[in-house]
Amino acid sequence: MARLVRFHEHGGPEVLRIEDVELPRPGSGEVQIRVKALGLNRAEALLRAGAYIETPTLPSGLGLEAAGIIEAVGEGVNNFAPGDSVSVIPPQSMIRWPAYGELATYPVGLVVKHPPSLDWPMAAAVWMQYLTAYGALIDIARLHSGDFVVITAASSSVGLAAIQIANRIGATAIAVTRTSAKKQALLDAGAAYVVAVTEEDLAARLDKIAGPQGVRVVFDAIGGPIFEPLAAAMSRGGILIEYGGLSPEPTPFPLFAVLAKTLTLRGYLVHEITGNPAKLEAAKAFILEGLETGALRPIIDRTFPFEQVVEAHRYLESNRQFGKIVVTV
């Protein structure tokens, strides 16, 4: 028996329950991990609330990120052994491969030996944020040295990962946040500039920062009214990558900016990377090298014990965090 987090109905954090569940041994090509830490993501709150891209059969588990020690391996697994310290690539389906529990089973292709310099919370906070940012900035936008890149929701774990990736390759990271409360923290985290959208004219400030060159890449998790000033500040041939929809307001289509500047507006899911073996291997190599050199380093906002997973989800939904929320098991 192992303790797992499940929900029997959709709703707020209070629907999460810790239950004793009998788990089978890993099957062919699978590994079973004794979990030490879990990384929390907004996708898990959406699944719990019934608003995610997957619809679970209830009761359902959840979770996309874990780190721990291999407990057992299935038939055909040769490159991992019990006792290995590993972390988990987010699966295509957290319903099929849930992370929240004392034990979690995954296909061997989603298991990584992370650098030993990372403690368990950091190891559990790697893959969702860095794969998401890498896929958008490196694989799709081909961000390079000298580019200006705007990163919205910059204090999120993905936003902070994007800042680190931009700095690693020599691009100029412009962090966009709601107020100036997190300005110094974002500068300390590596942002070259910080724009507070409720206190400043976004388009004017971006135009002043980027000048005639303009912003070539926008990495946006928000949508809504900021879409038009973001497009207005972009360079000719620029690309805006949308990976979220945090704004409750309608998102206007910036028709004239798109036409005049021949912009590309593109939706993006991290599944584009995790579901493509060649792209995933390239991403893993980039991220592992960055972790080993220290150019990439997860920022942990707060940790909660496993027994406080409900409180951790409440904090996740408060939008107060700076970086990753982690649950230790």
Side-chain angles (χ1 to χ4, degrees):
M1 301 287 281
R3 293 188 302 164
L4 306 183
V5 177
R6 302 198 300 176
F7 56 98
H8 292 250
E9 60 181 324
H10 293 297
E14 68 281 354
V15 303
L16 297 177
R17 303 181 190 176
I18 297 177
E19 302 176 332
D20 290 322
V21 179
E22 190 71 42
L23 291 180
R25 287 184 56 80
S28 177
E30 295 178 342
V31 300
Q32 193 165 76
I33 300 166
R34 176 69 59 177
V35 176
K36 296 294 185 180
L38 303 163
L40 269 60
N41 297 279
R42 189 163 298 277
E44 291 136 37
L46 292 173
L47 181 76
R48 186 206 69 225
Y52 191 51
I53 56 177
E54 288 189 281
T55 302
T57 299
L58 300 176
S60 175
L62 72 168
L64 288 163
E65 290 184 285
I69 299 171
I70 292 182
E71 181 96 346
V73 301
E75 184 180 351
V77 175
N78 300 314
N79 49 342
F80 292 95
D84 287 345
S85 297
V86 296
S87 50
V88 174
I89 300 290
Q92 295 283 307
S93 169
M94 73 172 112
I95 296 170
R96 174 65 182 87
W97 310 103
Y100 284 18
E102 294 176 325
L103 290 176
T105 303
Y106 285 94
V108 68
L110 296 180
V111 179
V112 182
K113 294 178 183 177
H114 55 261
S117 59
L118 300 183
D119 60 18
W120 292 123
M122 283 190 175
V126 168
W127 294 106
M128 178 59 85
Q129 60 180 332
Y130 288 114
L131 284 170
T132 301
Y134 169 93
L137 300 184
I138 306 301
D139 184 68
I140 296 173
R142 305 295 180 187
L143 190 70
H144 52 72
S145 179
D147 277 340
F148 285 93
V149 53
V150 169
I151 300 161
T152 69
S155 61
S156 69
S157 60
V158 174
L160 294 169
I163 290 170
Q164 292 179 8
I165 287 174
N167 287 338
R168 185 183 176 199
I169 63 173
T172 299
I174 306 170
V176 173
T177 187
R178 201 172 66 84
T179 73
S180 56
K182 298 176 181 177
K183 179 177 180 178
Q184 190 57 52
L186 286 165
L187 292 171
D188 293 343
Y193 302 91
V194 178
V195 183
V197 293
T198 61
E199 302 170 13
E200 305 174 75
D201 183 312
L202 178 59
R205 181 74 194 287
L206 293 178
D207 184 64
K208 183 176 180 181
I209 292 169
Q213 176 180 341
V215 173
R216 192 179 74 81
V217 181
V218 173
F219 185 42
D220 180 48
I222 298 173
I226 70 168
F227 220 66
E228 288 186 308
L230 288 174
M234 293 179 69
S235 63
R236 184 174 180 83
I239 181 169
L240 187 157
I241 299 173
E242 190 69 27
Y243 74 101
L246 296 177
S247 175
E249 300 179 59
T251 300
F253 182 74
L255 176 63
F256 293 106
V258 170
L259 288 173
K261 301 181 180 186
T262 61
L263 301 180
T264 298
L265 308 183
R266 191 192 192 286
Y268 163 66
L269 293 174
V270 71
H271 295 168
E272 297 180 50
I273 302 300
T274 59
N276 183 310
K279 290 185 176 185
L280 179 57
E281 286 305 309
K284 285 163 59 178
F286 180 94
I287 293 164
L288 287 170
E289 182 184 11
L291 292 170
E292 287 166 355
T293 63
L296 306 180
R297 189 161 183 84
I299 295 174
I300 308 298
D301 175 87
R302 186 170 171 183
T303 61
F304 291 82
F306 187 67
E307 293 74 17
Q308 293 182 11
V309 66
V310 171
E311 288 79 2
H313 264 244
R314 289 194 179 116
Y315 185 64
L316 175 67
E317 294 191 338
S318 73
N319 294 315
R320 297 195 304 268
Q321 63 267 18
F322 187 90
K324 197 77 167 187
I325 303 168
V326 174
V327 169
T328 54
V329 183

